[in-house]
Amino acid sequence: MTHAHAAICRGHDAPFAIEPVELAALQPDELRIRIVACGICHTDLAVRDGQLPVELPAVLGHEGAGIVEEVGSAVTAAKPGDRVVMSFNSCGECPSCDADAPTYCYNFFPHNWSGRRADGSPTIMREGEPVGGNFFGQSSFATHAIAHQRNVVRVPDAAADLPLERLAPIGCGLMTGAGAVLRSMKVREGLPIVVFGAGTVGMAAIMAAKVAGADPIIAVDMHDSRLATARELGATHAFNAKDGAIDKIKQLCPRGVGYVFDTTGVKSVIEDGFDLLAPKGVMGIVGASDPADMLSLNEAAFMGSGRTVMGILGGDSDIAPFLTELIELHLAGRFPYETLIETFDFADIDKAIEASESGRVVKPVLVMPAD
Ligand code: CXF
Ligand code: ZN
């Protein structure tokens, strides 16, 4: 048992409460990590609000980064003292994992959202009773976390000077947007892309679209400040959704656009986006939508122009190679997401969440107290 402090989430109406907990002994393929920083993602808030099937109370947080303290006997991914970033967990044995597509792991739920390890054992105890843990294989709103070696990536030596609060958010939102462009849609040089929604995922998609050489790169959002940031990160055009964005895109790209990437999950936005596609155009959809929503797409336009509509999870990331690639792009100044981050002390977790929900901060990152 290891003593730690963790932010317990009890639902929408209760503040996160930082309380003492105990972490279980490690299994052979696990690591214990002293968390240095953890990004806050909208999925944490969706769980808090009961929109996803994760039982509360639980320790959330799935963009953790820290220093390995102890490893189980079978761990080869990192050793004590290594700096690591964490991402989602996966089983390693299903057809998706076999195809290096672990975001579509057949056993995603037991490995990420069941509140326990996949074998049913708890990783976190509070006052002697199990509390929801192993969230995305980590539960990193805490001073310490247990992770599995499949969801830990060692920070490359070339990034030794980068602070862990910079690296933490790479394990979810940033990887999702960048992966959607570079891995899922495989955006080609010289073709237009439209990105709906300029949050972390949309901004990462814009930076990646620039890496891929898409042109033009069109950002659409409802907030002018976000559109200004999108331009700084690579958007060649930025249109406010309240101000005739669809017509402006049609004027700018009369032959249609090669790619549409939706991060809003709003049915009408997705349907408008579909109408923008050029022949062989690809639309990637990643936004959280109303579970009751059904899309309606014109069948003749769909088939007749050879369009692809693609649901995307986690940017099809295979985390060890892809997070390393993103860190290298960041070091080369080609994935300059640092302006999206604002750090908060762990004790200020509720303030950090409020800054995210008000839209003031794109990517809040919690910084844990040093031991
Ligand atoms: C997840 C969804 C499942 C794959 C990894 C990323 N999104 C979290 O916010
Ligand atoms: Zn996330």
Side-chain angles (χ1 to χ4, degrees):
M1 287 276 181
T2 301
H3 296 291
H5 281 82
I8 312 276
C9 174
R10 297 192 166 84
H12 182 266
D13 298 324
F16 279 72
I18 298 179
E19 297 177 10
V21 294
E22 282 94 44
L23 301 188
L26 296 180
Q27 293 191 349
D29 43 15
E30 291 179 338
L31 308 87
R32 191 179 64 252
I33 292 150
R34 177 169 73 77
I35 305 295
V36 172
C38 184
I40 296 177
C41 168
H42 289 293
T43 303
D44 296 307
L45 308 180
V47 169
R48 176 202 62 182
D49 298 346
Q51 290 158 7
L52 290 167
V54 176
E55 237 178 77
L56 299 178
V59 180
L60 308 180
H62 61 283
E63 292 183 348
I67 297 170
V68 178
E69 282 190 339
E70 189 190 341
V71 299
S73 55
V75 170
T76 54
K79 57 182 187 318
D82 282 349
R83 295 175 356 126
V84 292
V85 290
M86 281 172 271
S87 190
F88 65 96
N89 198 10
S90 53
C91 75
E93 338 182 298
C94 70
S96 291
C97 288
D98 279 349
D100 296 329
T103 64
Y104 308 100
C105 175
Y106 284 36
N107 302 304
F108 194 88
F109 182 89
H111 285 270
N112 290 275
W113 285 0
S114 65
R116 305 281 187 272
R117 294 184 178 101
D119 68 9
S121 61
T123 55
I124 308 181
M125 314 285 285
R126 189 184 148 274
E127 292 177 345
E129 295 292 321
V131 60
N134 200 39
F135 183 59
F136 279 97
Q138 47 182 295
S139 289
S140 285
F141 289 163
T143 56
H144 299 75
I146 293 178
H148 190 279
Q149 64 168 339
R150 282 188 61 80
N151 68 308
V152 163
V153 178
R154 191 179 164 276
V155 175
D157 294 338
D161 292 338
L162 286 183
L164 287 165
E165 56 262 36
R166 174 83 60 82
L167 293 167
I170 217 150
C172 187
L174 292 167
M175 132 195 131
T176 294
V181 166
L182 299 173
R183 295 178 60 89
S184 320
M185 298 193 290
K186 298 187 171 62
V187 167
R188 275 166 50 201
E189 193 176 349
L191 290 183
I193 183 169
V194 180
V195 176
F196 287 104
T200 304
V201 175
M203 299 286 193
I206 287 165
M207 290 181 264
K210 186 170 174 186
V211 170
D215 187 40
I217 300 171
I218 305 162
V220 181
D221 196 276
M222 302 216 296
H223 301 284
D224 287 335
S225 61
R226 298 249 166 153
L227 292 172
T229 308
R231 275 182 184 276
E232 284 162 22
L233 295 179
T236 57
H237 299 74
F239 299 137
N240 195 308
K242 297 178 193 154
D243 199 13
I246 299 293
D247 287 342
K248 288 180 184 167
I249 296 167
K250 285 182 177 160
Q251 270 168 32
L252 182 68
C253 304
R255 299 195 305 171
V257 302
Y259 305 93
V260 170
F261 182 48
D262 177 70
T263 71
T264 71
V266 176
K267 171 181 159 68
S268 60
V269 173
I270 296 170
E271 290 173 357
D272 284 349
F274 177 79
D275 289 339
L276 292 171
L277 288 173
K280 288 296 272 178
V282 179
M283 179 164 68
I285 301 177
V286 77
S289 55
D290 183 325
D293 273 356
M294 305 291 286
L295 291 177
S296 106
L297 309 175
N298 179 266
E299 202 276 341
F302 190 22
M303 181 277 290
S305 333
R307 296 176 185 182
T308 300
V309 176
M310 191 184 269
I312 298 175
L313 271 182
D316 285 76
S317 299
D318 183 13
I319 61 168
F322 191 54
L323 297 192
T324 306
E325 184 183 333
L326 290 181
I327 292 171
E328 282 163 3
L329 281 171
H330 180 67
L331 285 170
R334 301 176 70 202
F335 193 53
Y337 65 84
E338 62 277 9
T339 53
L340 306 177
I341 293 177
E342 187 170 312
T343 55
F344 293 80
D345 288 343
F346 185 31
D348 290 332
I349 180 167
D350 286 312
K351 276 190 205 154
I353 290 171
E354 200 208 297
S356 162
E357 291 187 312
S358 72
R360 186 178 69 73
V361 176
V362 177
K363 177 52 69 181
V365 173
L366 301 172
V367 178
M368 298 358 182
D371 267 351

